[in-house]
Amino acid sequence: MSVPFIDFKDQNSIIQSKVDTGFKKVFKKGDYILGQEAVEFEGAFAKYCDCAYGVGVNSGTDALYLALSALDIKPGDEVIVPAHTFIATALCVSFCEAKVVFADIEPDTYNIDQKSFEKAITKKTKAVIPVHIYGQPANMKEITAIARQHGIKIVEDAAQAHGATYQGHRAGSLGDVACFSFYPTKGLGACGDAGMIVTNDRAIYKKARMLRDYGRIGRYEHKIKGHNSRLDTLQAVILNAKLPHLNEWNNMRAKNAQYYGELLKSLQGVVAPLLKPDRTHVYQTFAVRLPAARLPARQGQAGVPHRDKVVEAMNAKGVSVLIHYPIPLHLQGAYSELGYKKGSFPVAEAVADEIMSLPMFPHMSKEQIEMVVEALKMSL
Ligand SMILES: *Cc1c(COP(=O)(O)O)cnc(C)c1O
């Protein structure tokens, strides 16, 4: 009796024949990079996100980097990033040689805290990157109001939120420009690296298109210094085959989350995800919080979070659980030069010690969910 963290088996068999046909077509045609299927996917995914334009790139990280570059983020600029996210959200700022400024998060949704965002603004702030963490959109209305007041651009990190909605609008259409990852484990995943920038802003679109392809405006005519970051046609075949199923798969995730929620009610000391009423959650990650005192420190060792023991016990029982993410970005070695300390962002720090991701994928069975909750109960 074991439960994998994620299982692609059912999704793969649903798209198998479309992928076989699509691959054959690409092999015959030979348009391996930015080929027909890639162009089709850019249009289809942008439309899915209520956006006019899509720029296929080779990862979510590059989508963020090129989006910031398209906004002309440069040395001396500051960009505000939540402290609780995957490190790529901050790295893209560093790639532009701009300064990362962290903000704290909300204790219930784990998304960027608008008050902390507002406090972090200086005259040098050029952009903010709200992350729709785990698949639930951030407080975009409040963030937009603050950003507009200060002339700050909004770059959505929607790498975990394919298809999520906020006040009826899709993630990807909620800021100036948005970035998606199609890393295999994301809600819409390729079989390798892939990403996309979506926007309704024609100028951003045109610049991002040049940036992902050597700054090209003709075959060997280069207007700006660009990069090599393009979407592979074979990955686009897979993504085109999956996209028509995305809403259904997101609904299945939501049903699984609901069942988890029912079962978790009987467990004390486990906080299920909170869904705000004006948005939908796609549960890219089903993260529960275990707020418990740290175990006492022993012989000079720092106290071990209760969560770590639970993670260890569940994995030992064959139920795969992970931690997204155990170290907040302001305490990462990679960002030590910024001078943040323990205590700089108390909510992000507490969440890093208490959060735990349970298995979640569309075709999970009720029995699997019951097994996870049973294993959790025995591990508390
Ligand atoms: C996955 C992820 C990224 C990076 O995407 P890659 O395609 O892996 O480069 C960026 N931000 C967040 C929040 C992510 O979850």
Side-chain angles (χ1 to χ4, degrees):
M1 81 150 223
S2 69
V3 184
F5 190 70
I6 189 164
D7 187 342
F8 298 117
K9 223 173 38 256
D10 293 285
Q11 282 183 312
N12 287 352
S13 68
I14 288 166
I15 62 163
Q16 182 80 58
S17 74
K18 257 195 179 169
V19 169
D20 287 347
T21 322
F23 274 22
K24 276 192 193 131
K25 225 170 95 187
V26 176
F27 284 149
K28 206 161 162 193
K29 238 175 142 184
D31 56 345
Y32 303 130
I33 291 170
L34 294 178
Q36 187 191 332
E37 289 263 8
V39 174
E40 279 168 19
F41 179 65
E42 285 180 328
F45 189 70
K47 189 165 169 230
Y48 179 84
C49 297
D50 302 331
C51 281
Y53 309 108
V55 181
V57 296
N58 69 12
S59 69
T61 304
D62 272 14
L64 286 161
Y65 172 39
L66 299 184
L68 290 181
S69 304
L71 291 174
D72 200 28
I73 301 299
K74 52 186 182 308
D77 293 342
E78 293 179 2
V79 177
I80 298 171
V81 171
H84 180 76
T85 173
F86 182 58
I87 194 164
T89 316
L91 288 177
C92 61
V93 179
S94 306
F95 295 161
C96 294
E97 297 181 62
K99 185 179 171 193
V100 180
V101 176
F102 289 115
D104 211 345
I105 57 165
E106 298 182 316
D108 50 5
T109 65
Y110 317 120
N111 275 322
I112 189 167
D113 179 328
Q114 69 240 22
K115 289 190 284 305
S116 184
F117 157 48
E118 192 163 22
K119 250 172 68 187
I121 295 171
T122 72
K123 286 202 163 53
K124 294 178 182 170
T125 309
K126 290 287 158 57
V128 60
I129 313 184
V131 180
H132 307 314
I133 199 81
Y134 305 142
Q136 172 166 223
N139 296 336
M140 295 307 291
K141 186 166 159 232
E142 292 80 359
I143 290 165
T144 304
I146 297 164
R148 293 292 171 255
Q149 196 187 330
H150 294 269
I152 295 168
K153 294 287 185 192
I154 300 170
V155 180
E156 293 176 74
D157 183 340
Q160 304 184 356
H162 315 69
T165 60
Y166 176 87
Q167 299 182 347
H169 300 283
R170 278 262 159 79
S173 67
L174 307 171
D176 294 290
V177 56
C179 302
F180 286 89
S181 163
F182 306 113
Y183 181 78
T185 58
K186 307 289 181 180
L188 179 61
C191 294
D193 280 312
M196 198 180 297
I197 297 166
V198 299
T199 183
N200 279 308
D201 184 315
R202 187 163 171 80
I204 294 174
Y205 163 68
K206 286 177 78 175
K207 191 159 177 204
R209 256 179 81 100
M210 279 191 270
L211 284 167
R212 64 126 181 232
D213 194 20
Y214 296 113
R216 212 171 236 153
I217 46 169
R219 185 156 197 162
Y220 292 112
E221 189 182 357
H222 307 271
K223 189 172 171 189
I224 55 175
K225 294 181 192 76
H227 305 265
N228 173 0
S229 180
R230 302 168 298 200
L231 180 63
D232 288 342
T233 315
L234 289 175
Q235 299 303 344
V237 167
I238 291 152
L239 294 165
N240 275 327
K242 283 188 177 179
L243 183 57
H245 301 282
L246 183 56
N247 284 343
E248 186 196 346
W249 291 345
N250 280 342
N251 290 338
M252 292 164 84
R253 287 175 180 278
K255 279 212 182 86
N256 295 343
Q258 199 183 349
Y259 191 45
Y260 260 132
E262 282 168 30
L263 299 180
L264 289 173
K265 273 192 202 131
S266 66
L267 298 193
Q268 283 227 324
V270 179
V271 181
L274 173 106
L275 172 59
K276 290 220 175 160
D278 58 349
R279 51 205 91 172
T280 61
H281 196 318
V282 291
Y283 301 100
Q284 140 77 37
T285 300
F286 189 83
V288 298
R289 192 171 169 184
L290 306 174
R294 283 171 163 257
L295 299 179
R298 255 185 250 118
Q299 298 180 342
Q301 284 181 332
V304 179
H306 168 61
R307 184 272 324 272
D308 288 9
K309 300 282 174 196
V310 176
V311 166
E312 204 179 286
M314 289 187 76
N315 282 319
K317 288 180 174 59
V319 172
S320 292
V321 295
L322 293 169
I323 300 168
H324 299 101
Y325 301 89
I327 305 172
L329 296 187
H330 66 287
L331 300 178
Q332 292 282 2
Y335 283 106
S336 58
E337 84 269 10
L338 295 176
Y340 291 102
K341 298 270 174 312
K342 230 179 165 56
S344 294
F345 301 112
V347 181
E349 289 164 27
V351 169
D353 277 350
E354 298 174 357
I355 206 82
M356 176 174 82
S357 310
L358 302 182
M360 171 58 86
F361 49 94
H363 297 87
M364 228 181 150
S365 68
K366 279 192 138 181
E367 293 69 36
Q368 284 177 311
I369 295 172
E370 287 157 9
M371 268 154 69
V372 175
V373 175
E374 190 55 32
L376 175 56
K377 191 175 172 179
M378 292 190 296
S379 305
L380 284 171

